[in-house]
Amino acid sequence: MSSELRAISAQLQQENAPFNGEGFVEVRLTQDAWAKSHRPVDRLFKPELATLVGGNEIADLVFRVSSMNLRKIADTVATAKPDVKEKKNPDTGKIRIIVPELKSETGAIEAVVLWGPDQRNAPSVDEAISHLKGRDLAAYYRVELFADIGLSDGVVDGRDSSDVLVSDFWRRLRRLAQRFSIVVTYDVDSDGLAIGIALLRGEPNLMFGPERNFVGANNRLLSQANFTPDAHHALLSLLTGHPLVRSVGLPAPVEQPDDFTASRSDSVPASVSKSSVRALIRRRLPNMPPDQVHPRICLVDGGINQEFNKWVIHRENVVAVRDEDHGTNIASLLVAGKELNEHLAAYLEDDGCELIDLAMNAPRRTSAATFSTGVTGFLDQLDRLIQDVKAEVPFRIINLSLNVKKPVQDAKISEAAKRLDEIAKKHDVIFVISAGNAENKDMRQEWPNSITAALNTLIGFSDQLFEPADTMNNVSVGALNPPGLPRIVEKAPARYSRRGTSRRTIKPDLCQFGGAHRGDGEPTGLLVTDANREYRYVCGTSYAAPLVAKTLA
């Protein structure tokens, strides 16, 4: 280990000479050392030699360190003695092993790795351009940093920064901006460690400011997007080679989930009274007390049809073109779920629900034009909207049945989930988020009766949660099979319901009935209706989420 640390020290001294030999290392701990008391921060990576800047995975530590100090740590490691002492308890007679602190800290370390291009996980030029153009997004990258470069504090270009890494990062950006037009953006209410960098057509220039300033009415990031390969190659070369950069990612659009909505159903169960359903949606059933208090839910989707006007107490249109099918189906579950699904009555809240309609999702190209930076632009807009609407209509529960179709990474919480956590804390709200649906080859086999066979279906990780369902301050929801269906194990996880973020975390948080995926046109066990008075059997985690949201509300 001592020689490995010296090798990293020499690499830092040579490759990071422009940064005074400073860089970042990941200290991976053995599983036996996951407890905080075993962290090697008192004798080895102590504050005067290394600065702890964050973590990776469940208990791996990331330090900022210089070449010189890393050599000092290597020298200390070399002095660790293998000896232990035995101490006898005079009362019990038991022997206790005393391990010297230096030996304990050294033994806690599994490996030390220099943070480099592999850890930054940047896309190739071809991958980036194909992804961005194929989804109608701006020529835009999400960049996570190890230190705040000062944008949110009004630092214009880093010239006055005392941090050698920050000032060098800005210097290289300014040099690149002599060749291309570049915009550096940040989220006003975030911690400053994640920024956006966009490439524009036109005269070379460097601009910076809050992201919302560049995606307004004229949406310069999209209308002037630069997709020339040489520009992307130059930017990615800077980002993948600079020690201040933790990761480089591509934005992903927020989309309505691909729920498995069956065609119009003519076989509505006899227990469903169509006239009662319509009367309830228009306002309330005849026997419903006029002064009954109902739960209140803010529904972030593509919009709710006018048929539900008596239940919608506030509307906001963010997108120019509403796509109301999905949101209206969810509204029918919130308003008339029991009336539509009598066989689930014991598991559902009473019918009736006040709705706040935030229409923020639309057909893909329209939505991309509104949120050309993907999920960050979407959440930035949602943040402002919640603040404005809450000032008029109080609410706490937000149903977000929209996903970023991007499985969460094992090592860390996704940026989208982190931003959602910040918004929830800021506005004192709870988001209820669908886990996402696995499709095609990612879908598991139908849940078997055999325990052993059931465990076998969980091998593999192709069905991991979609972002931002890995949120910590909110609730993510998976789907269960409803009762009463042939050849289906009732209350078992639905075969499409995504789960888990890695081997070490348990997600989703809660489950509800979301319909069974029959694949044969048969009833799914969950019925909805829409403004056209058509009844549909549906399945998907986005239909389980509102049922949980209503319980919370």
Side-chain angles (χ1 to χ4, degrees), residues 1-10 70 74 109-112:
M1 185 180 296
S2 179
S3 64
E4 288 176 2
L5 290 171
R6 288 193 178 95
I8 296 174
S9 172
L70 196 59
I109 299 174
E110 182 178 89
V112 179

Side-chain angles (χ1 to χ4, degrees), residues 285-359:
L285 290 171
N287 59 352
M288 187 175 286
D291 58 349
Q292 180 173 340
V293 176
H294 300 288
R296 178 178 293 179
I297 293 176
C298 177
L299 182 57
V300 179
D301 212 285
I304 303 171
N305 194 275
Q306 301 285 335
E307 182 82 356
F308 288 81
N309 270 356
K310 294 296 184 180
W311 292 103
V312 176
I313 61 175
H314 188 94
R315 290 186 188 271
E316 292 284 344
N317 291 320
V318 176
V319 290
V321 180
R322 292 165 63 95
D323 184 9
E324 297 178 337
D325 289 346
H326 190 262
T328 301
N329 289 340
I330 289 178
S332 73
L333 284 176
L334 291 171
V335 170
K338 265 191 174 183
E339 194 71 23
L340 285 163
N341 298 278
E342 187 181 48
H343 61 298
L344 302 179
Y347 307 99
L348 304 181
E349 304 300 328
D350 290 339
D351 283 335
C353 186
E354 292 183 344
L355 302 172
I356 296 167
D357 177 18
L358 300 191

Side-chain angles (χ1 to χ4, degrees), residues 380-498:
D380 195 32
Q381 176 79 306
L382 180 59
D383 181 6
R384 301 197 298 276
L385 203 56
I386 290 172
Q387 180 171 324
D388 293 343
V389 175
K390 272 197 86 175
E392 298 182 38
V393 186
F395 64 88
R396 287 209 68 212
I397 305 302
I398 302 175
N399 187 88
L400 185 63
S401 294
L402 303 171
N403 295 118
V404 179
K405 293 180 181 177
K406 180 180 177 184
V408 300
Q409 298 178 7
D410 288 355
K412 60 182 180 179
I413 183 173
S414 67
E415 185 185 355
K418 182 180 177 182
R419 183 77 177 96
L420 206 65
D421 288 345
E422 292 171 349
I423 295 172
K425 184 176 180 180
K426 175 182 176 182
H427 298 294
D428 191 28
V429 296
I430 301 172
F431 288 93
V432 181
I433 306 152
S434 55
N437 303 325
E439 301 178 77
N440 304 322
K441 62 181 177 59
D442 293 334
M443 195 182 301
R444 301 179 297 274
Q445 295 295 314
E446 190 57 61
W447 197 268
N449 287 303
S450 162
I451 293 176
T452 302
L455 289 173
N456 285 336
T457 69
L458 298 179
I459 296 174
F461 299 94
S462 62
D463 58 349
Q464 288 183 321
L465 294 182
F466 277 152
E467 299 178 9
D470 54 322
T471 174
M472 295 289 105
N473 292 351
N474 301 287
V475 175
S476 58
V477 179
L480 302 177
N481 290 329
L485 298 173
R487 306 181 306 280
I488 298 290
V489 177
E490 67 178 52
K491 300 181 184 177
R495 60 187 300 232
Y496 55 82
S497 187
R498 288 185 170 270

